[in-house]
Amino acid sequence: MDKALHLLIDGRLVAGAGEMPVINPATGKAFALAPRADAAQLDTAVAAARRAFPGWAALSYADRRAFLERFADGVEARFEEFARLMTMEQGKPLDQARFEVGGTIAGLRYFAAQEIVSHVIRDTAQERITEHHSPLGVVAAITPWNFPLILLVVKLAPALITGNVVIAKPAPTTPLTTLLLGEVAADILPGGVFQTLADANDLGALLSTHAGVAHVSFTGSTATGKKVLSSTVDTLKRFTLELGGNDAALVLDDADVNKVAPAIFGAAMVNAGQVCLAAKRVYAPRALYDDLCAALGALARAAVVGEGLDQGSQIGPVQNAAQFAKLVDYLAEARQQGQIVAGGAPLDREGYFIAPTIVRDLPDDARLVREEQFGPVLPVLAYDDLGAAIEAINASEYGLGGTIWTGNPERGEQVAALIDSGTVWVNRHLDLPFDVAFGGAKQSGIGRQQGVEGLLEFTQAKIINMAKG
Ligand code: NAD
């Protein structure tokens, strides 16, 4: 069993206070041991981060940029190692893992080139008033298990370039790629600027309540996000919460079913449906309903489900046993309340594999429609009235994303304006350029990542107001 990876604390690669097994979801068996940090190591990391902060913050943007570029080079040099490790721990097909590693490198380079420039509000004979943005200090970057690297990098790179220092805490079931990122950083970044702490789901709360942490950048479920929010109160920490979603794919009556079915299928099944912004429920006009269900069903039956390292696998296992059990529950209810068009059960093999599933004729209040399933199981609902469909979509407590599928993009844009969520795509999905801010409405989050807003989240505005003469 592989046990070569270490925590990165205060510039040194160290063993954890303990160890924990990491399961390959394609087999359900442990394939590696990860170091497990304890509360004392967390304290050491926060203290080291606080020592490192003034020096890092004092560097120019150009100096920090050079560090981040070398960091990106270091990841690039181990590209395939990152991709294979991600597939092993997360389960996703290797080409999707490579895409994520490529995005990680691109993200480091994109944010390395950004700068928050001070701004003159007024400069007259009598006075000069300027606005500056100072870094906050120690950022805790807490991430989930669906995209272990890219979700970290959209925190890490903006936080570092703006002069903050970062402690990364990955999800307990996918610690290895974050630890590998730490190993790359160990030779490149000054000690304490970036650190990694792997845990068994017991350090997140300690980190987000720690008085030495200035900002908690959290991506994960809404339930945990609420705990994080309350943990920031004592010291009035800044925070960014990227939480759950129940995004709808809304098909308009002018859509071409043959064209939109593969796009919707992809939007629902990429990463085995474990995407915060995945299409998690489909609303189709009654006239297109049978055809769309049939087309989605055919795609589900044709999809190649298999181990991520096997060439040709399109859909891998779900990431962990708890998620697998949750999906098995949803499937049992769906079989009772609706009609299974394709799939409907786990695969009869080792590992956490669920057959890609399309379910029709579920009532609006079925759990699979109302809740975030986070797996390759897609409910398709019929509507008779577009206004009522939009109302049903907006009735969700979530408001992360959504897609409109139509033959008329301008009409799609108008409908998109009526959907109450942070991002709505028309005739495309998951297009997330680094210069475009994204984040949730309602209980899908508070704050933004990426874009200028995402950089500003890691800074504190400061006014300098000078009388002249
Ligand atoms: P989770 O909330 O269980 O865990 C996320 C992280 O929080 C993990 O690292 C976990 O160890 C840590 N954690 C647990 N308890 C904590 C506490 N009390 N305080 C601080 N941290 C704590 O989420 P998950 O199951 O790993 O991820 C799936 C969820 O993430 C889904 O709801 C999905 O929609 C959401 N997600 C959101 C986005 C987004 O950008 N909005 C992106 C990806 C995933």
Side-chain angles (χ1 to χ4, degrees), residues 64-74 108-110 112-113:
R64 289 196 295 263
R65 176 169 311 135
F67 276 114
L68 287 190
E69 281 291 347
R70 284 179 54 211
F71 194 7
D73 293 343
L108 284 169
R109 294 201 196 288
Y110 174 82

Side-chain angles (χ1 to χ4, degrees), residues 4-20:
L5 289 166
H6 295 85
L7 308 171
L8 175 59
I9 299 177
D10 200 8
R12 282 184 295 277
L13 294 170
V14 297
E19 285 181 334
M20 56 186 187

